[in-house]
Amino acid sequence: MELSFFSFLIPIIVAVYLAIDAPKHGKNPWLWGILGFLFTLLPLGIYLIKTNRKVAGWIFVVLSILSIIGTVALIGIMIAVISSGAGM
């Protein structure tokens, strides 16, 4: 229960942050808010890079890419185990 609450709360926090901060840098708050809600860390990292906060931005981009690679690898391993019949 708590994990699902936080997994829904973090995108909302990122979206609100991006929507509030975007006009300060001449960016569209609706675009960044929606992107932040849908994709969370990757748009946050790109936004930080575009607003000259490059170190924090690159950290979020790298973490996002690593999590995507890890998820794809985990799904691939699960499919391989299930299709080989080793799960029986």
Side-chain angles (χ1 to χ4, degrees):
M1 177 78 176
E2 295 157 3
L3 182 62
S4 64
F5 175 72
F6 284 116
S7 64
F8 188 67
L9 184 64
I10 291 172
I12 291 174
I13 291 171
V14 171
V16 169
Y17 169 75
L18 290 175
I20 291 173
D21 198 55
K24 297 176 188 175
H25 298 282
K27 309 289 185 204
N28 184 340
W30 284 101
L31 172 69
W32 287 104
I34 291 170
L35 288 174
F37 182 74
L38 294 177
F39 302 108
T40 311
L41 291 181
L42 189 59
L44 178 61
I46 293 170
Y47 176 79
L48 292 173
I49 291 169
K50 290 180 69 66
T51 56
N52 293 325
R53 294 173 273 187
K54 296 188 187 308
V55 174
W58 280 111
I59 289 171
F60 282 116
V61 168
V62 168
L63 287 175
S64 177
I65 291 172
L66 288 176
S67 69
I68 292 168
I69 291 171
T71 302
V72 169
L74 183 63
I75 291 171
I77 291 169
M78 289 173 53
I79 290 172
V81 167
I82 291 170
S83 66
S84 70
M88 295 175 147

